Amino acid sequence: MNNFPKEERLNNVKQIENLYAKGDKFLAYPFSVRFIYNKEQSEENSKMSVLITAPKRYQKLAVNRNRAKRLLREAYRLNKHSLQEKIINSSSQLFISIALVSKTMPVYLLTDQKVKEILSTIEKKIFSENNFFGYCSVIVKFFSSIIFRRFSTA
């Protein structure tokens, strides 16, 4: 069974341009990661899409580029489930780009470890930011209600 179907691959040119123009980025050497999180209201649009690249700049031989992408796809396929469930349950969209930025070929154990690190970092950034902003909005509402009461009684 194919657990990395075509629906999970990021291949829309506008979405890719938006990802590279406005997305957050970080480095988990030997991979460079960009992601953009869109909070949607409808469940049918909630999805997680991934773009996996191995540029010719770092890997000259096509055999090495294809192997690197194959390793990344397999590691992603095996480790995506916890983040994917959270994205689908929150009715949102997540677009990720993972690119190899090393001239040395990574082995599978390193790739698997780094993909786990990448997915957990993205999860922390997305859901901790949402909790922070939710917390800030509660504080703002609280203080605005206090100020409103103070000025309305005066």
Side-chain angles (χ1 to χ4, degrees):
M1 182 176 170
N2 185 8
N3 287 336
F4 190 57
K6 190 171 184 177
E7 295 83 33
E8 289 183 17
R9 297 178 189 175
L10 184 60
N11 52 13
N12 186 331
V13 175
K14 288 186 180 183
Q15 291 174 345
I16 293 171
E17 288 174 353
N18 188 28
L19 174 66
Y20 279 94
K22 298 179 183 174
D24 295 331
K25 60 183 174 182
F26 64 93
L27 183 69
Y29 193 80
F31 303 110
S32 172
V33 181
R34 291 180 180 260
F35 70 95
I36 192 163
Y37 177 70
N38 297 327
K39 186 73 176 162
E40 291 289 327
Q41 299 300 327
S42 60
E43 288 188 22
E44 60 268 1
N45 289 335
S46 66
K47 66 177 184 173
M48 188 165 97
S49 298
V50 178
L51 172 69
I52 296 175
T53 61
K56 198 172 187 178
R57 175 180 181 181
Y58 296 106
Q59 294 295 323
K60 301 296 182 194
L61 298 177
V63 173
N64 292 342
R65 292 193 302 271
N66 291 337
R67 176 160 173 76
K69 291 188 285 188
R70 196 176 317 119
L71 290 174
L72 265 169
R73 276 194 304 266
E74 182 65 14
Y76 169 76
R77 184 184 71 83
L78 294 174
N79 297 306
K80 68 181 178 181
H81 300 291
S82 65
L83 180 59
Q84 192 173 35
E85 286 176 12
K86 288 183 179 182
I87 294 297
I88 291 172
N89 290 339
S90 66
S91 301
S92 56
Q93 292 179 331
L94 176 64
F95 301 120
I96 305 170
S97 168
I98 305 173
L100 178 68
V101 292
S102 171
K103 292 192 182 244
T104 59
M105 272 297 293
V107 295
Y108 180 73
L109 292 175
L110 174 69
T111 304
D112 189 53
Q113 175 187 2
K114 289 298 180 173
V115 167
K116 287 177 184 175
E117 180 184 318
I118 287 167
L119 294 177
S120 67
T121 302
I122 290 173
E123 187 174 339
K124 286 176 190 172
K125 286 187 176 192
I126 289 173
F127 293 108
S128 67
E129 285 177 5
N130 288 343
N131 291 339
F132 175 73
F133 289 124
Y135 179 71
C136 288
S137 67
V138 169
I139 291 173
V140 167
K141 288 178 185 176
F142 174 72
F143 283 116
S144 64
S145 67
I146 290 174
I147 292 170
F148 179 72
R149 278 190 233 140
R150 183 167 288 180
F151 285 117
S152 65
T153 58

